[in-house]
């Protein structure tokens, strides 16, 4: 196993990210309305910049809503520590057609955008570790769904090829 900020990645069994050193945060970290607006604008800008680098089915006008949902889920995670919802969000974004460049930049935007908020937190280290856990789980869910989609596409391609070869 190799250690990455706040998470361990297992090279065995489906390469699932296992969060071993995470303790859920409780309402001690609150985003102000200004923080939410600034972070939402940054996330929305990132999504819009990378929208054409993937096969997204999301209309550009829905980016603001997606950005606000992301902030809401992050805040919920910081309070509850519910990691499964974050993985499901990653899967949802993959199924909506978001690509790897968008997701990597989204994770980066979340981390960088939260630095100022982290500086105001009572326990900066714990907040940053929680944020890393969040982004790792988001990417984990995304990658699982992305891999599943690739496998389905390969299977469809194989079946089409086999069918066309049998007709020759």
């Amino acid at each position: 196993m190799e250690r990455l900020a706040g998470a361990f990645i297992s090279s065995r069994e489906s390469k699932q990210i296992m969060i071993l050193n995470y303790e859920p945060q409780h309402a001690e970290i609150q985003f102000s309305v200004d923080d939410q607006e600034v972070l939402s604008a940054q996330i929305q800008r990132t999504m819009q910049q990378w929208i054409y680098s993937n096969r997204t089915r999301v209309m550009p006008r829905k980016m603001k809503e997606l950005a606000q949902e992301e902030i809401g889920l992050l805040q919920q995670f910081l309070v509850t520590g519910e990691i499964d919802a974050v993985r499901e969000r990653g899967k949802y974004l993959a199924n909506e057609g978001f690509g790897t460049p968008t997701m990597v930049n989204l994770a980066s935007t979340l981390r960088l955008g939260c630095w100022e908020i982290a500086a105001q937190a009572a326990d900066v280290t714990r907040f940053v570790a929680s944020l890393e856990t969040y982004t790792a789980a988001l990417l984990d869910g995304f990658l699982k769904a992305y891999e599943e989609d690739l496998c389905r596409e390969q299977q469809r391609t194989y079946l089409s090829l086999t069918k066309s070869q049998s007709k020759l």
Side-chain angles (χ1 to χ4, degrees):
M1 283 191 191
E2 61 181 286
R3 181 154 166 49
L4 295 177
F8 287 89
I9 297 182
S10 171
S11 58
R12 295 183 214 141
E13 305 172 8
S14 79
K15 297 181 181 176
Q16 180 169 342
I17 295 178
M18 298 180 298
I19 310 304
L20 299 178
N21 61 347
Y22 174 72
E23 293 178 24
Q25 298 292 324
H26 300 282
E28 60 193 73
I29 300 168
Q30 295 292 322
F31 290 8
S32 71
V33 173
D34 289 341
D35 291 338
Q36 290 176 26
E37 288 175 3
V38 168
L39 192 54
S40 177
Q42 291 171 342
I43 291 169
Q44 185 177 351
R45 195 169 30 256
T46 297
M47 288 178 175
Q48 287 172 336
Q49 285 174 342
W50 292 94
I51 192 170
Y52 298 111
S53 69
N54 49 55
R55 51 192 171 76
T56 186
R57 292 177 283 277
V58 176
M59 301 300 290
R61 66 179 178 267
K62 191 176 178 189
M63 294 296 169
K64 183 175 183 176
E65 181 183 329
L66 288 173
Q68 291 169 342
E69 288 172 2
E70 198 64 46
I71 293 168
L73 184 61
L74 173 60
Q75 288 180 299
Q76 178 185 340
F77 173 77
L78 292 171
V79 172
T80 65
E82 178 55 47
I83 203 160
D84 291 335
V86 179
R87 285 192 179 111
E88 288 302 313
R89 174 67 175 189
K91 289 178 183 179
Y92 169 77
L93 293 174
N95 292 330
E96 287 296 315
F98 279 58
T100 306
T102 305
M103 293 304 294
V104 168
N105 284 289
L106 174 60
S108 180
T109 299
L110 283 167
R111 285 191 301 270
L112 294 173
C114 286
W115 276 108
E116 190 172 314
I117 299 167
Q120 300 166 11
D123 188 346
V124 174
T125 305
R126 191 170 173 170
F127 178 78
V128 171
S130 297
L131 186 59
E132 285 298 316
T133 301
Y134 178 89
T135 56
L138 184 68
L139 290 172
D140 181 48
F142 167 79
L143 290 172
K144 280 187 173 63
Y146 193 76
E147 288 172 359
E148 289 169 4
D149 188 48
L150 283 175
C151 288
R152 282 190 300 273
E153 185 62 34
Q154 287 175 344
Q155 186 177 22
R156 282 192 297 268
T157 302
Y158 174 77
L159 291 174
S160 294
L161 177 65
T162 305
K163 189 175 181 178
S164 66
Q165 286 177 339
S166 70
K167 290 181 180 183
L168 296 177

